[in-house]
Amino acid sequence: MNASMSSLPPVALAPAPPGDLAALIAPVPPLTPACTVQQAGERFLEPAVAGLLSLPIVERGRVLGCVTRHELMMRVYMQPYGRELHARRPVTALMNAAPLVIAVDSAIEAAGQLIGARIQSPITEDFVVTDAAGDYVGMGVVLDVLRALEARVGEHTRELESAYRRLKASQNQLIQSEKLASLGQLVAGLAHEINTPLGYVQNNVEMVRNHLPAAAETLAAYAGVLDAAGGDDATAAQSAQRLDDALAAFDPALCGDLASLLDDTLHGVHQIADLVASLKDYSRIDQARSENVDLHGLIESALRIGGHLLRRRDVQVRRQFGEIAPVTCAPAQINQVLLNLIGNAAQAIEHDRGIIAIRTQASGGYAMIAVQDNGKGIPPDVLPRIFEPFFTTKPVGQGTGLGLSICQQIVQAHGGRIAATSTPGVGTRFVVALPVAGRSGARA
Amino acid sequence: MSKPCLLLVDDEERILRSLAMLFRAHYDVVATTDGVEALKVVRSRPVHVVVSDQRMPAITGVDLLRQIRDHSPRTMRILLTGYADLAAVEASVNDGEIFRFLEKPWDALKLQDAVAQAADIAHAEFAEPIRVAPPPEAIVAARVLVLDEDPSTAMLVRGLLPPSCAITIATTVEAALARLGEAEHAVILAELKHGSDDVIGALKLLKQANPHTLAIACSSLRDGRLLIDLINQGQVFRFLPKPLGRELLRRALTAALDRHAQLAHDPQRARRHAVEAPREVSLPSRVMDYFRRIRENARQKAAS
Ligand SMILES: Nc1ncnc2c1ncn2[C@@H]1O[C@H](COP(=O)(O)OP(=O)(O)OP(=O)(O)O)[C@@H](O)[C@H]1O
Ligand SMILES: [Mg+2]
């Protein structure tokens, strides 16, 4: 038996590779019930089992129990006359008949749990591994399992960390793409807002331009008639004919029409100028934070840019502006918050008596902006979820559900807060509070 | 001949005033900012042409034009929009079946041309009695050409059409044109992103050569600008995004085959699919020969 043993591979002492239990098993030849205590003691001295705390006693594959190094030391070698008393007795006399037995197909975590439930301090015992039929397979070292578990936890932690990093990155990407999407919406809105006046401005100018020669000809024909008044009949008839022709091409009544076309044109040009001015405010996007930002100006510019959202339902805007000090903030970002809130409010209004009230007031170092609508409201079970990214009640393709989550991020990054209250069927109010001095009063 | 009726719809009154001024010499102009009012007008009198804005408070232009088509199918529909977002362009093809997609600020001459052409077409149609629907057998014996490098497209089409429909498969524009020259096809389904071939240019020329063939374009490319060209210069009948959905494709094919049968039955209606002259198309002379052949075939067929 000893001879056959020495050819066996040594017990794995190296840190166990992470993996399932099977990888950690040392197929140690077991003791038989016939072994003496003396023989067991000799087995423990073999280098091949140097890392094992206990040895199994197996009969025809069945595990009868284990004998531990600790037991041998304490009961045999360290006791006076211990050797004499016990050496010749069968090893079964000292064995633990209920050792920890773990099935070979267990996962490391499951084995770890079993060990944890049984573990004593100090650790005096390793565990027996059996196959599905309950037959002896080998021994497992408790410390190996603990090391493997530790390695695995480390691995999980790393996985978690990298998953977290990936999530974070994709969230940033999403925010980035939301910015792009809102830039796309902005461009679409602006293109429409500008191209509409540009359409009639260009057309009107062209039409007036085309009528001018005929108008000039009419004037000249009138002058001709005046000049011919004192002349002969033939000249008078000729100039009268010229006037008739000119009047056929240009009826002076048209002047009224042309004047109103030019009024429209002026109106359109002003509208375009206004839009361009708002765009300038909006495009201070890279200019991060600035001091002394006039929130009322930001509100006006958001209203202008979001004009098409409001006109869709003929929504009335009511301003109740209080006294608020200039604020340190990133104007483009606050503009985006306001645009999102105004957009949501406009979208919530499904009737034609829509009103959006925008109130401002100062309160304890904060500038407060409230955006209130008389739209359909938010049911109480939905209200807690509206700031979640991707939460939307709008049909697929119409809402990203990112609007409010972006608002919240922006406001929080400013050291401020945003909250909503709503009564279904009556309306919704969002309040944004921004610290006047910027985040923690520091210059960002 | 009384002046044709032109209906203008836009939520900006200044646009209406400006357009009315541009057209009132030659048209009986009706202008409104209200979609519901516009629908009332088309129900109460013949309207030859409608020019509508896309973004309006109560209804989108595409929606309005679709409803106008249902109430008054002979009215020619033109969209005039300040911003061509892709969704609007796609819907204007697939739902609005519009004649032209024009943008603000507009080119007065081009707009006047489009309206005049539309008015001529509608005028001729209003002068004729409405014909009854064509017999269904015309549909089942039609030919469909599939131009796509990806063989799964043709397989999908095969599965959706009755066995009596012949399907021609081509993987290059040149092969497609050769086959179109050999036999009249009811429908061509073409993938727009096609190697170096100018599929778009070919579709435009094809429509000029033979307005009876209906084009369904499909692509994973989603480019509003290109689609606008395809509407105005190619009168593309449907646009389907790739990957192709079975149900959408089935509906598009059925509608195209139906329309083709109607056109064969009532050739006047082919005028509705008249196109703008394409800006520039560069094709080798051999390809131009195919076009000549296609045009001759179409003429002979119309004459017989
Ligand atoms: N003023 C409001 N009135 C009623 N419901 C609102 C209002 N504001 C937000 N909500 C609700 O909160 C949800 C989330 O809003 P959020 O702005 O985050 O996304 P969204 O508006 O759905 O999508 P997107 O902003 O991309 O258009 C909305 O779908 C809506 O149900
Ligand atoms: Mg929103």
Side-chain angles (χ1 to χ4, degrees):
Chain A
M1 185 162 146
N2 281 2
S4 71
M5 249 175 350
S6 51
S7 65
L8 282 167
V11 175
L13 289 180
D20 275 348
L21 194 57
L24 297 181
I25 296 167
V28 181
L31 304 169
T32 63
C35 266
T36 61
V37 170
Q38 165 83 30
Q39 283 170 319
E42 283 163 10
R43 278 293 305 282
F44 271 119
L45 294 178
E46 285 172 16
V49 299
L52 272 183
L53 296 177
S54 51
L55 282 171
I57 298 149
V58 174
E59 187 176 39
R60 283 194 294 281
R62 291 282 136 186
V63 178
L64 303 179
C66 277
V67 59
T68 69
R69 239 180 241 278
H70 185 255
E71 196 75 357
L72 279 183
M73 291 290 264
M74 303 303 280
R75 304 255 314 258
V76 183
Y77 296 110
M78 311 265 287
Q79 293 292 325
Y81 309 108
R83 248 178 246 250
E84 287 69 17
L85 278 174
H86 296 293
R88 265 170 245 287
R89 297 175 62 190
V91 71
T92 47
L94 291 184
M95 83 179 177
N96 168 8
L100 178 56
V101 178
I102 299 179
V104 69
D105 56 359
S106 307
I108 292 277
E109 286 82 356
Q113 254 168 5
L114 286 174
I115 292 168
R118 281 276 297 256
I119 207 158
Q120 300 163 347
S121 185
I123 301 172
T124 57
E125 234 181 318
D126 287 318
F127 59 93
V128 181
V129 181
T130 57
D131 61 16
D135 283 349
Y136 174 74
V137 174
M139 288 299 288
V141 178
V142 166
L143 272 178
D144 286 351
V145 171
L146 295 184
R147 270 192 217 108
L149 268 179
E150 195 191 354
R152 190 159 289 193
V153 168
E155 209 177 301
H156 284 174
T157 313
R158 274 190 300 282
E159 271 170 28
L160 271 176
E161 272 169 3
S162 88
Y164 175 75
R165 269 196 305 276
R166 278 198 303 274
L167 257 177
K168 195 84 189 148
S170 67
Q171 196 194 13
N172 283 341
Q173 248 168 24
L174 274 171
I175 292 173
Q176 215 47 44
S177 69
E178 158 75 2
K179 275 189 190 150
L180 274 184
S182 63
L183 187 67
Q185 274 173 6
L186 177 79
V187 169
L190 268 173
H192 186 264
E193 295 294 299
I194 289 184
N195 282 335
T196 297
L198 207 52
Y200 61 80
V201 164
Q202 179 178 306
N203 199 51
N204 293 354
V205 170
E206 263 176 39
M207 286 190 295
V208 173
R209 168 83 190 71
N210 289 342
H211 276 108
L212 265 185
E217 167 60 15
T218 308
L219 281 180
Y222 272 121
V225 171
L226 285 181
D227 285 350
D232 57 65
D233 283 358
T235 326
Q238 212 177 1
S239 55
Q241 183 58 46
R242 181 179 171 198
L243 181 58
D244 270 356
D245 292 347
L247 286 176
F250 184 83
D251 179 355
L254 259 181
C255 283
D257 289 338
L258 293 186
S260 75
L261 284 188
L262 286 179
D263 286 345
D264 284 354
T265 302
L266 270 182
H267 175 96
V269 169
H270 286 177
Q271 212 176 337
I272 294 171
D274 274 1
L275 278 163
V276 171
S278 318
L279 198 61
K280 273 197 216 137
D281 295 345
Y282 200 80
S283 67
R284 285 189 289 186
I285 210 143
D286 299 324
Q287 207 182 315
R289 267 158 222 238
S290 37
E291 287 174 77
N292 298 333
V293 177
D294 167 25
L295 285 184
H296 294 146
L298 284 187
I299 294 172
E300 292 301 345
S301 118
L303 282 171
R304 266 199 299 276
I305 290 173
H308 61 283
L309 301 170
L310 302 174
R311 231 163 304 141
R312 190 173 298 155
R313 285 215 163 267
D314 236 340
V315 174
Q316 217 187 314
V317 177
R318 291 196 185 151
R319 298 164 177 80
Q320 294 166 27
F321 291 171
E323 288 278 317
I324 45 176
V327 168
T328 298
C329 68
Q333 291 184 4
I334 299 304
N335 218 324
Q336 189 172 356
V337 170
L338 293 169
L339 254 182
N340 279 340
L341 294 182
I342 292 168
N344 281 346
Q347 284 169 353
I349 294 172
E350 289 172 338
H351 48 77
D352 47 15
R353 303 170 313 283
I355 296 173
I356 297 180
I358 304 183
R359 293 192 193 94
T360 58
Q361 78 184 68
S363 165
Y366 283 83
M368 321 273 278
I369 308 173
V371 178
Q372 179 163 8
D373 63 66
N374 62 349
K376 63 177 179 228
I378 307 174
D381 57 321
V382 171
L383 193 61
R385 303 197 53 197
I386 56 172
F387 290 103
E388 285 174 23
F390 302 115
F391 177 80
T392 179
T393 56
K394 292 168 190 167
V396 182
Q398 281 185 27
T400 61
L402 283 172
L404 285 177
S405 108
I406 301 270
C407 287
Q408 193 175 42
Q409 289 202 19
I410 291 176
V411 173
Q412 285 176 354
H414 278 79
R417 290 209 290 161
I418 178 168
T421 49
S422 184
T423 314
V426 176
T428 305
R429 177 159 67 156
F430 282 85
V431 178
V432 175
L434 294 173
V436 172
R439 190 186 177 101
S440 330
R443 281 206 59 190
Chain B
M1 168 176 139
S2 63
K3 287 183 190 173
C5 175
L6 171 64
L7 173 62
L8 303 171
V9 193
D10 198 304
D11 60 329
E12 170 59 88
E13 277 177 43
R14 294 178 183 84
I15 290 274
L16 294 177
R17 276 205 285 279
S18 186
L19 287 175
M21 184 82 178
L22 184 66
F23 284 106
R24 69 181 182 194
H26 303 289
Y27 298 85
D28 185 358
V29 175
V30 182
T32 173
T33 56
D34 178 359
V36 179
E37 183 61 33
L39 281 173
K40 260 192 222 147
V41 173
V42 295
R43 272 190 300 240
S44 63
R45 57 171 296 176
V47 172
H48 296 84
V49 185
V50 53
V51 174
S52 172
D53 183 25
Q54 165 65 5
R55 278 200 196 200
M56 292 182 289
I59 188 172
T60 67
V62 168
D63 239 6
L64 177 67
L65 293 182
R66 187 177 46 71
Q67 292 184 37
I68 289 181
R69 183 194 60 187
D70 295 345
H71 289 296
S72 168
R74 292 179 290 192
T75 300
M76 297 293 283
R77 301 170 297 274
I78 295 175
L79 203 63
L80 180 63
T81 169
Y83 182 76
D85 62 295
L86 183 67
V89 189
E90 280 185 17
S92 75
V93 184
N94 294 337
D95 304 333
E97 294 188 353
I98 61 165
F99 180 63
R100 292 290 181 267
F101 190 112
L102 301 177
E103 289 173 274
K104 293 174 188 166
W106 58 89
D107 173 338
L109 281 180
K110 209 168 143 188
L111 178 62
Q112 282 170 315
D113 264 3
V115 169
Q117 203 183 349
D120 279 349
I121 295 166
H123 205 273
E125 279 194 20
F126 273 108
E128 284 164 23
I130 298 179
R131 308 243 187 146
V132 290
E137 59 268 23
I139 295 171
V140 287
R143 267 176 221 282
V144 174
L145 185 133
V146 178
L147 169 55
D148 196 339
E149 277 158 358
D150 176 1
S152 67
T153 305
M155 266 157 61
L156 193 58
V157 172
R158 179 70 282 172
L160 292 171
L161 289 180
S164 55
C165 279
I167 294 178
T168 312
I169 301 173
T171 52
T172 64
V173 168
E174 194 174 336
L177 293 174
R179 307 304 299 274
L180 288 169
E182 288 159 19
E184 155 107 7
H185 283 72
V187 177
I188 165 166
L189 172 70
E191 153 74 80
L192 296 181
K193 185 186 65 191
H194 223 268
S196 57
D197 281 359
D198 184 4
V199 180
I200 296 158
L203 278 182
K204 293 177 188 170
L205 280 180
L206 174 71
K207 205 63 198 180
Q208 277 194 313
N210 184 3
H212 284 252
T213 300
L214 292 150
I216 302 175
C218 61
S219 178
S220 49
L221 270 172
R222 308 192 64 188
D223 177 343
R225 182 84 0 232
L226 183 146
L227 247 184
I228 292 174
D229 272 4
L230 273 175
I231 297 170
N232 295 341
Q233 297 168 18
Q235 270 293 294
V236 65
F237 181 68
R238 290 284 187 273
F239 175 82
L240 303 176
K242 268 199 162 182
L244 289 169
R246 265 183 83 82
E247 186 50 31
L248 274 185
L249 179 59
R250 194 186 59 71
R251 266 194 258 153
L253 285 168
T254 314
L257 288 171
D258 261 350
R259 180 63 51 86
H260 182 262
Q262 269 173 20
L263 293 180
H265 187 65
D266 182 2
Q268 294 281 22
R269 297 201 48 177
R271 284 175 314 207
R272 298 189 75 89
H273 299 281
V275 294
E276 265 176 12
R279 277 200 267 286
E280 87 273 347
V281 184
S282 60
L283 287 170
S285 64
R286 190 158 40 128
V287 172
M288 293 310 288
D289 282 345
Y290 293 129
F291 276 113
R292 235 158 274 140
R293 210 172 314 150
I294 293 169
R295 189 166 340 156
E296 270 151 34
N297 285 351
R299 287 223 184 95
Q300 274 166 20
K301 196 158 182 282
S304 68

